[in-house]
């Protein structure tokens, strides 16, 4: 039996950061019911249609983050839906939401509204900018609240170029792991006290945590180096280079003396470069452009495979910089279970990044259609067929 089997999760959220926490729980056996507004459901279903996203007939984002879930189409604005939500709240161990505070108040879905109905409920909430302060009601996506607000966007560019935009879900998925951790701590506390609680996180706070090393420099008033590009870097030993077969590799050599000698030996320079301008960390910094040019010429002499063998032999710390299609076919990720074949679809998907000794993640199942399980869920809650038909006729429930 999976480690979270028997845990019931109500996914009352949209897009990624909050729902993805439910996805992680589902990987370990939790039962997840997703509430979607009819007729179109979670707007995340249509993210693949946004200009600039990779073009596909498949809803690949939805497939990733809504696997294993059951969907009920429920119009929260319909008067009859209040009773259904109440029953779902009583059914759940965990409720996950990212509704804005004003929406939670409008639909009577705040923790204060729901705690009297289910005192054991773990109420998990993601916001853009936190629950207090002047931006509490401000909507935020990961691009704005995580990537831009945290200072990450301002950092991510070379000298003379504009900041880059973040890829889809870049801040959402890390934020979902923070929410998952909070939920698991709350469940642990409930085991000791029998009582539920509220846990929260925000995209902004997670962005600040991701960028915390750099933010800390501001707190201590550190002096930043002048921004450069790869041809004129501040440190040629933390830089990327191109192999003979057009593959890019990245060096991350953080210990100057030890790592420099290992790199020199790997390049056939014995223990140091032939040019005295590169013999010390200070001289390598002062002559960075010349060293980059020399390393460019050396790395271009062999293929990625050849260099990989050499660098492993000399314990040089490096990494390949693959394209997305190469990542999707990475044999090491395959071996480590990062990817898994879906149970009922001809695709693989990316699994959550946690492994527990002796525990197997369940094989992912196809993400649901809007309201695909509405009748099944209502029956689970004790509704008779006639009552289900009434809810469908009045438009409170669809599917």
């Amino acid at each position: 039996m999976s480690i979270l089997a028997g845990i019931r999760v109500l996914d009352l959220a949209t897009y990624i950061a909050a729902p993805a926490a439910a996805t992680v729980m589902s990987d370990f056996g939790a039962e997840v019911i997703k509430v979607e507004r009819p007729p179109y459901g979670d707007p995340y279903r249509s993210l693949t249609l946004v200009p600039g996203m990779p073009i596909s007939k498949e809803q690949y984002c939805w497939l990733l983050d809504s696997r294993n879930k059951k969907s009920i189409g429920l119009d929260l604005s319909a008067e009859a839906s209040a009773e259904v939500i109440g029953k779902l709240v009583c059914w759940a161990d965990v409720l996950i939401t990212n509704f804005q505070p004003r929406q939670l108040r409008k639909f009577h879905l705040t923790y204060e509204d729901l705690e009297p109905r289910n005192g054991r409920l773990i109420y998990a909430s993601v916001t853009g900018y936190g629950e207090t302060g002047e931006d509490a009601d401000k909507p935020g996506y990961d691009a704005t609240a995580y990537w831009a607000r945290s200072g990450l966007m301002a950092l991510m560019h070379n000298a003379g170029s504009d900041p880059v935009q973040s890829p889809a879900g870049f801040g959402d998925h890390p934020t979902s792991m923070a929410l998952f951790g909070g939920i698991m701590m709350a469940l642990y506390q409930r085991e000791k006290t029998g009582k539920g609680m509220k846990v929260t996180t925000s995209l902004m706070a997670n962005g600040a945590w991701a960028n915390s090393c750099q933010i800390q420099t501001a707190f201590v008033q550190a002096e930043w180096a002048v921004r450069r590009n790869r041809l004129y870097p501040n440190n040629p030993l933390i830089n990327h280079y191109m192999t003979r077969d057009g593959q890019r590799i990245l060096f991350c050599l953080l210990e100057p003396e030890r790592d420099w000698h290992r790199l020199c030996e790997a390049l056939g320079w014995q223990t140091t470069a032939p040019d005295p301008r590169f013999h010390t960390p200070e001289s390598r910094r002062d002559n960075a452009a010349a060293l980059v040019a020399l390393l460019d010429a050396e790395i271009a002499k062999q293929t990625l495979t050849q260099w990989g063998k050499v660098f492993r032999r000399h314990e040089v710390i490096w990494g390949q910089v693959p394209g997305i299609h190469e990542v999707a076919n990475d044999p090491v990720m395959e071996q480590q279970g990062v990817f898994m074949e879906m149970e009922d679809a001809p695709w693989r998907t990316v699994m959550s990044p946690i492994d527990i000794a002796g525990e197997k993640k369940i094989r992912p199942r196809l993400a649901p259609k809007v309201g695909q399980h509405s009748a099944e869920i209502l029956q689970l809650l004790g509704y008779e067929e006639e009552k289900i038909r009434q809810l469908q006729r009045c438009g409170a429930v669809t599917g």
Side-chain angles (χ1 to χ4, degrees):
M1 181 178 291
S2 299
I3 195 169
L4 292 182
I7 296 294
R8 298 172 294 191
V9 181
L10 181 58
D11 179 349
L12 193 62
T14 58
Y15 285 101
I16 311 175
T23 306
V24 178
M25 298 186 75
S26 80
D27 286 342
F28 291 97
E31 182 179 2
V32 182
I33 290 178
K34 182 168 187 65
V35 175
E36 298 192 75
R37 182 179 181 178
Y40 302 113
D42 188 335
Y44 186 43
R45 291 175 176 272
S46 301
L47 185 63
T48 50
L49 302 178
V50 173
M53 291 291 287
I55 298 171
S56 173
K57 64 177 182 175
E58 306 297 341
Q59 296 174 317
Y60 48 85
C61 292
W62 182 251
L63 180 148
L64 168 69
D65 287 307
S66 294
R67 60 174 180 255
N68 308 329
K69 301 178 182 180
K70 294 180 179 179
S71 170
I72 178 172
L74 188 62
D75 184 356
L76 296 180
S77 64
E79 185 177 344
S81 69
E83 180 185 79
V84 179
I85 281 291
K87 288 181 179 292
L88 284 169
V89 167
C90 293
W91 166 88
D93 293 290
V94 179
L95 182 149
I96 295 175
T97 187
N98 64 349
F99 287 7
Q100 293 172 247
R102 57 183 176 80
Q103 293 174 309
L104 294 172
R105 293 190 294 269
K106 174 182 177 181
F107 296 119
H108 305 290
L109 293 173
T110 67
Y111 178 66
E112 291 71 25
D113 291 325
L114 302 184
E115 191 274 336
R117 298 186 178 188
N118 182 353
R120 289 174 55 81
L121 182 69
I122 307 302
Y123 185 100
S125 173
V126 174
T127 63
Y129 302 94
E131 296 196 315
T132 59
E134 60 187 69
D135 288 341
D137 279 314
K138 182 179 178 180
Y141 290 111
D142 69 338
T144 55
Y146 180 102
W147 178 246
R149 185 65 170 267
S150 68
L152 282 166
M153 183 174 179
L155 286 173
M156 296 300 178
H157 66 97
N158 289 325
S161 62
D162 293 331
V164 297
Q165 294 183 352
S166 61
F170 187 81
D172 284 319
H173 286 106
T175 300
S176 75
M177 298 308 297
L179 189 66
F180 171 76
I183 291 169
M184 298 313 295
M185 284 194 291
L187 286 170
Y188 174 70
Q189 180 72 355
R190 192 181 74 172
E191 285 297 302
K192 296 190 292 184
T193 66
K195 296 181 179 179
M197 63 179 60
K198 179 180 180 180
V199 297
T200 66
T201 191
S202 72
L203 289 163
M204 180 179 67
N206 280 275
W209 181 242
N211 199 25
S212 55
C213 287
Q214 285 62 241
I215 295 173
Q216 193 68 44
T217 66
F219 292 148
V220 302
Q221 298 181 333
E223 182 179 351
W224 276 69
V226 176
R227 190 181 298 277
R228 301 179 184 274
N229 60 35
R230 72 160 299 275
L231 295 177
Y232 303 92
N234 289 299
N235 187 347
L237 304 187
I238 305 177
N239 202 11
H240 48 97
Y241 300 89
M242 196 77 75
T243 64
R244 191 177 73 194
D245 53 344
Q247 298 294 315
R248 196 177 301 275
I249 63 172
L250 172 68
F251 290 130
C252 189
L253 307 181
L254 301 179
E255 299 183 40
E257 293 307 321
R258 186 194 69 171
D259 288 340
W260 171 246
H261 292 309
R262 288 179 176 177
L263 177 62
C264 289
E265 290 173 354
L267 297 174
W269 295 346
Q270 300 309 314
T271 59
T272 189
D275 193 319
R277 291 179 299 171
F278 312 137
H279 285 181
T280 68
E282 293 76 20
S283 65
R284 291 193 290 272
R285 179 197 62 205
D286 294 341
N287 298 284
L291 181 51
V292 168
L294 185 60
L295 288 172
D296 273 340
E298 288 291 341
I299 300 303
K301 291 178 181 179
Q302 298 194 66
T303 66
L304 176 70
T305 300
Q306 290 171 322
W307 279 125
K309 293 176 182 178
V310 172
F311 292 150
R312 278 191 289 272
R313 188 164 63 247
H314 291 277
E315 299 183 10
V316 174
I317 300 173
W318 70 287
Q320 185 182 356
V321 186
I324 293 299
H325 289 288
E326 292 174 288
V327 173
N329 291 284
D330 188 322
V332 175
M333 292 199 189
E334 193 76 47
Q335 294 158 12
Q336 296 299 315
V338 176
F339 309 139
M340 188 178 291
E341 297 285 343
M342 301 198 74
E343 183 179 275
D344 49 3
W347 304 292
R348 294 178 300 165
T349 192
V350 183
M351 298 303 290
S352 49
I354 297 173
D355 289 299
I356 301 172
E359 293 290 333
K360 287 187 176 181
K361 297 171 187 172
I362 70 167
R363 191 171 177 186
R365 299 185 301 274
L366 196 62
K369 298 177 181 178
V370 181
Q372 180 177 336
H373 305 93
S374 292
E376 175 187 337
I377 291 167
L378 291 172
Q379 289 169 356
L380 172 70
L381 298 176
Y383 284 94
E384 301 291 341
E385 289 188 12
E386 178 54 33
K387 181 61 175 179
I388 293 173
R389 285 194 289 270
Q390 289 177 11
L391 289 169
Q392 291 173 331
R393 284 195 295 268
C394 74
V397 174
T398 62

